[in-house]
């Protein structure tokens, strides 16, 4: 309405200016021979049905979620329930209007669930051309992917109204990502273009980044990650993004650890120091989980430089750095000393477990190394003594601990 009022005001100014220009040239617009101004006709306002108006309200709320409003996120469930009740109470004739039908579909795809779609179909008033859209959307929200893919493939998101277009492209991408990831990437890019600045764009960008990561395109992953960090780092769903980003970054095949670290630095330079520190910590932990000790060490040292002394973040950075040094040649003693200096009560359960495993592995590595050094210093005898079975067991246990330390695990 504010936009329409502004447009009406601009029209009034233009008409007034034209009337003044048509005056008699003596400073007045009402001189001899001047035509009276034409009456201003009001702008045409097309009335919309209740489903359309309710869906606009939901989308405005969800766009605030993309900008980081936790209050909007908490209110979303209540609003979804309220809208569902209002839509279920409407007369069947409401759904004969395609605009209302598509608003109902958009509501279901945006988190509203299947109840409204079933009510629409039960009333028997949905237009024949819209029926596949309703049926396909119902199949999607009920988990019947094959049926949903067949039915929704008939609809081009670019021809859908703006309130539905991006959501439809996002849904089609979700249905194709398993079997046709390239097509899914195209649809996610389309969803971003059709719904700029919305929660749909945020979700599409977030998903596109990780589909691309699975395909191994490091350059595209970097470009889109920078875009997300610039525009949506405050999103309520940014926490999910950060965890998956750290895991994906350490899994991607770069030319070298140095290349990975350089790209990481470029990406994280886009954000504020506190957020940058937290992301470096996530990357360091993911690097340890996946055996990328070079990246883990780089990220831990960067995080330490951004953490205030005597804080939990600083302690985490020291832990991850020391754990990464366990398997670095010539730095075992440094690693053990750093690990022993840490207070395990500062950490959560997962980090305490990492501390215990790293310290145990480092200690077990050093014991056989000391024994080897002692044997090398002893004079050779005519008979070679076989290794003590207990020593072999300790060495095997140490190797197993190292394997667990650098094992490729699931996303954090």
């Amino acid at each position: 309405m504010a936009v329409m009022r502004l447009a009406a005001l601009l029209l009034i100014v233009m008409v007034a200016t034209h009337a003044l220009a048509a005056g008699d040239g003596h400073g007045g617009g009402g001189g001899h021979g001047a035509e009276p101004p034409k009456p201003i006709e009001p702008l045409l306002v097309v009335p919309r049905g209740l489903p359309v108006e309710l869906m606009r309200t939901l989308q405005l709320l969800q766009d605030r979620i993309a900008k980081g409003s936790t209050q909007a996120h908490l209110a979303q469930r209540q609003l979804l329930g309220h809208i569902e009740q209002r839509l279920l109470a409407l007369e069947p004739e409401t759904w004969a209007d395609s605009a209302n039908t598509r608003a109902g579909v958009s509501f279901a795809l945006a988190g509203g669930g299947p109840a409204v779609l079933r009510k629409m179909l039960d009333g028997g008033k949905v237009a024949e051309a819209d029926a596949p859209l309703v049926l396909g959307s119902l199949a999607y929200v009920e988990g019947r992917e094959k049926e949903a893919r067949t039915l929704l493939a008939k609809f081009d998101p670019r021809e859908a109204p703006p309130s539905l277009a991006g959501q439809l492209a996002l849904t089609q991408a979700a249905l194709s990502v398993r079997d046709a990831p390239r097509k899914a990437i195209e649809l996610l890019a389309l969803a971003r273009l059709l719904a700029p600045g919305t929660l749909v764009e945020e979700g599409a960008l977030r998903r596109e980044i990780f589909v691309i990561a699975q395909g191994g395109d490091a350059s595209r992953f970097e470009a889109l990650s920078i875009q997300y960090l610039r525009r949506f780092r405050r999103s309520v769903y940014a926490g999910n993004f950060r965890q998956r980003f750290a895991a994906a970054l350490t899994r991607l095949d770069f030319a070298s650890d140095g290349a990975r670290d350089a790209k990481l630095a470029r990406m994280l330079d886009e954000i504020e120091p506190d957020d940058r520190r937290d992301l470096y910590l996530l990357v360091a932990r993911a690097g340890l989980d996946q055996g990328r000790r070079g990246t883990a060490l780089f990220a831990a040292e960067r995080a330490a430089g951004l953490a205030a002394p005597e804080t939990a973040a600083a302690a985490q950075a020291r832990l991850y750095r020391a754990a990464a040094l366990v398997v670095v040649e010539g730095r075992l003693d440094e690693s053990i000393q750093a690990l022993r200096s840490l207070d395990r009560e500062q950490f959560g359960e997962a980090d305490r477990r990492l501390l215990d495993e790293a310290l145990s592995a480092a200690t077990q590595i050093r014991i056989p190394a000391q024994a080897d050094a002692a044997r090398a210093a002893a004079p050779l005898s005519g008979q070679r003594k076989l290794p003590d079975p207990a020593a072999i067991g300790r060495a095997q246990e140490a190797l197993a601990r190292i394997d667990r330390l650098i094992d490729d695990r699931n996303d954090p």
Side-chain angles (χ1 to χ4, degrees):
M1 292 298 295
V3 173
M4 290 189 287
R5 291 192 187 101
L6 179 59
L9 180 60
L10 289 173
L11 184 58
I12 292 171
V13 171
M14 290 173 62
V15 171
T17 303
H18 177 74
L20 288 171
D24 60 2
H26 297 286
H32 301 292
E35 296 182 1
K38 295 181 179 180
I40 300 173
E41 297 182 0
L43 296 175
L44 180 63
V45 178
V46 179
R48 296 294 184 186
L50 181 62
V52 176
E53 297 300 335
L54 290 173
M55 192 56 210
R56 284 176 176 171
T57 302
L58 176 61
Q59 288 173 335
L60 288 172
L61 183 77
Q62 291 183 332
D63 294 346
R64 291 177 58 199
I65 294 173
K67 292 177 175 62
S69 173
T70 54
Q71 291 182 336
H73 187 246
L74 293 172
Q76 179 180 226
R77 182 182 296 274
Q78 185 176 358
L79 181 60
L80 286 169
H82 171 75
I83 292 176
E84 181 179 75
Q85 291 178 359
R86 297 287 302 274
L87 296 181
L88 290 175
L90 294 174
E91 296 296 327
E93 287 74 17
T94 304
W95 307 113
D97 184 342
S98 288
N100 290 337
T101 297
R102 297 187 181 206
V105 167
S106 185
F107 170 74
L109 297 180
V116 171
L117 297 177
R118 292 198 199 103
K119 182 69 179 293
M120 292 163 63
L121 293 169
D122 290 344
K125 298 296 183 179
V126 174
E128 183 177 352
D130 295 328
L133 177 64
V134 180
L135 289 167
S137 301
L138 179 60
Y140 172 73
V141 296
E142 291 182 341
R144 292 176 278 118
E145 291 191 5
K146 184 176 180 180
E147 181 182 352
R149 187 163 49 246
T150 301
L151 289 166
L152 293 181
K154 301 175 182 179
F155 296 91
D156 185 347
R158 291 167 294 189
E159 297 177 358
S163 59
L164 176 62
Q167 193 71 57
L168 180 59
L170 191 61
T171 302
Q172 290 175 337
L175 291 168
S176 59
V177 68
R178 186 180 295 109
D179 299 324
R182 288 182 179 275
K183 181 179 179 182
I185 290 171
E186 293 175 1
L187 287 165
L188 289 168
L190 178 61
R192 294 193 289 116
L193 290 172
L194 293 172
T198 68
L199 186 61
V200 168
E201 186 195 6
E202 188 273 346
L205 180 57
R206 179 160 37 92
R207 296 175 195 182
E208 187 179 353
I209 288 168
F210 299 120
V211 177
I212 284 173
Q214 290 177 355
D217 188 342
S219 296
R220 187 66 177 154
F221 173 84
E222 178 188 2
L224 292 181
S225 294
I226 288 175
Q227 186 175 347
Y228 187 92
L229 291 169
R230 282 176 178 170
R231 301 185 59 235
F232 294 112
R233 64 182 177 275
R234 301 298 181 198
S235 167
V236 172
Y237 301 112
N240 169 277
F241 168 81
R242 291 175 181 181
Q243 293 282 350
R244 296 182 65 190
F245 167 84
L249 177 82
T250 50
R251 285 198 179 105
L252 273 170
D253 186 17
F254 292 86
S256 65
D257 281 348
R260 177 184 289 104
D261 298 343
K263 286 183 179 292
L264 173 62
R266 282 198 297 271
M267 285 185 274
L268 299 199
D269 281 347
E270 297 290 329
I271 59 178
E272 293 85 353
D274 286 350
D275 291 336
R276 194 184 317 157
R277 176 203 62 214
D278 293 343
L279 259 172
Y280 272 126
L281 288 173
L282 286 173
V283 171
R285 182 56 199 259
L288 289 171
D289 289 344
Q290 297 171 27
R292 303 281 190 181
R293 70 170 185 267
T295 296
L297 185 59
F298 171 82
E301 290 177 343
R302 284 295 184 98
L306 294 165
E310 308 305 322
T311 61
Q316 276 187 299
R318 291 196 297 271
L319 169 61
Y320 298 158
R321 180 181 181 276
L325 289 175
V326 169
V327 288
V328 175
E329 185 176 357
R331 304 188 72 175
L332 181 60
D333 288 340
E334 178 186 351
S335 170
I336 293 175
Q337 183 178 359
L339 289 168
R340 285 177 174 170
S341 71
L342 296 170
D343 179 6
R344 68 190 310 275
E345 297 305 318
Q346 286 184 285
F347 304 112
E349 182 180 351
D351 282 344
R352 285 199 298 268
R353 188 165 57 250
L354 172 65
L355 173 59
D356 293 341
E357 290 177 356
L359 188 56
S360 178
T363 304
Q364 292 297 326
I365 291 171
R366 188 167 67 173
I367 291 172
Q370 291 174 337
D372 289 343
R375 282 195 297 271
L380 294 175
S381 62
Q383 184 178 4
R384 183 180 178 183
K385 186 178 179 180
L386 293 175
D388 181 1
I392 296 175
R394 286 194 299 271
Q396 289 174 336
E397 182 181 353
L399 291 173
R401 289 181 183 278
I402 295 170
D403 287 340
R404 286 197 299 272
L405 184 64
I406 65 175
D407 187 33
D408 183 9
R409 302 176 184 174
N410 293 329
D411 288 358

